[in-house]
Amino acid sequence: MQNDILEVIKSRRSTRKFRDGRLDSEKLQRVLKAGLLAPSSGNKRPVEFIVVQDRETIGKLKECKKFGTSGLDTAPCAIVVIADSELSDVWPEDASIATILLQLEAESLDLGTVWIQIRNRQSDTGNSEDEVRAVLNIPEKYGVLDILAIGYKDERKNPYGEEDLDFSPVHKERF
């Protein structure tokens, strides 16, 4: 039997509008399991997740970045992806891998997500990472990569098709 991961990848699109309603706890657990199963450099497992479902706190997280946070307006849940920077010098890569696995599992469950970049971003008042750390009481040694808004889709986008693929960035044997 052929694995359908490519179909999930084609279907995954950023969702910025979510329906009302708390996430089913079993679906949320499956999404988190996917993130916990992510590979990491040296199997150090520096990545951790903070699940936020309180609307007031989600609103505070939205203010931690100047723009690109509209997905938090209606998302019933936000998963903040952090990693122990003392445990791994490649924590951004490890956290990125974990985030995409969260997104792919969410898509397989017909949930929508949008990646909201926090690392190296600014709010109206300062550094986005520092502000997220302050809102969620995250120790300084943790890098904050992103916030994943997640919920039931209130918008539908067409999946990518094979015709959308541009193979010009693919090089064989040499550049």
Side-chain angles (χ1 to χ4, degrees):
M1 181 174 175
Q2 189 174 8
N3 194 329
D4 64 354
I5 189 70
L6 193 55
E7 294 307 313
V8 173
I9 293 169
K10 287 181 195 174
S11 296
R12 197 224 56 82
R13 304 291 301 268
S14 292
T15 302
R16 291 178 181 85
K17 294 180 184 175
F18 300 94
R19 293 189 322 231
D20 284 338
R22 194 169 181 89
L23 278 183
D24 175 273
S25 62
E26 287 181 32
K27 286 186 176 189
L28 180 57
Q29 281 301 107
R30 282 188 56 132
V31 169
L32 291 168
K33 284 178 187 178
L36 292 169
L37 287 167
S40 62
S41 178
N43 201 29
K44 293 178 182 174
R45 306 222 173 258
V47 181
E48 299 184 26
F49 309 104
I50 302 172
V51 177
V52 180
Q53 294 181 304
D54 176 72
R55 287 297 319 152
E56 185 178 331
T57 305
I58 291 173
K60 289 178 183 176
L61 291 172
K62 183 179 182 342
E63 299 304 315
C64 292
K65 187 177 174 191
K66 281 184 185 179
F67 54 86
T69 60
S70 64
L72 293 173
D73 287 337
T74 56
C77 182
I79 300 173
V80 180
V81 181
I82 64 174
D84 186 335
S85 64
E86 292 177 3
L87 190 57
S88 174
D89 65 335
V90 292
W91 70 265
E93 291 86 346
D94 291 341
S96 294
I97 294 166
T99 300
I100 194 60
L101 291 182
L102 294 171
Q103 289 190 290
L104 292 176
E105 182 60 19
E107 181 62 35
S108 79
L109 298 170
D110 201 31
L111 296 172
T113 61
V114 64
W115 178 317
I116 299 167
Q117 182 70 22
I118 296 299
R119 184 172 176 267
N120 293 333
R121 296 298 182 262
Q122 296 292 312
S123 73
D124 288 330
T125 58
N127 178 287
S128 294
E129 271 191 90
D130 291 340
E131 292 192 23
V132 171
R133 271 194 209 92
V135 169
L136 299 177
N137 198 34
I138 300 169
E140 187 67 30
K141 73 175 188 169
Y142 285 88
V144 182
L145 182 73
D146 62 72
I147 300 170
L148 192 67
I150 182 170
Y152 298 101
K153 300 173 188 177
D154 197 24
E155 62 180 340
R156 291 288 171 181
K157 296 179 180 178
N158 292 328
Y160 292 107
E162 297 284 328
E163 66 279 1
D164 297 316
L165 296 176
D166 172 12
F167 279 88
S168 65
V170 178
H171 308 279
K172 296 183 180 182
E173 308 303 334
R174 297 172 190 256
F175 191 92

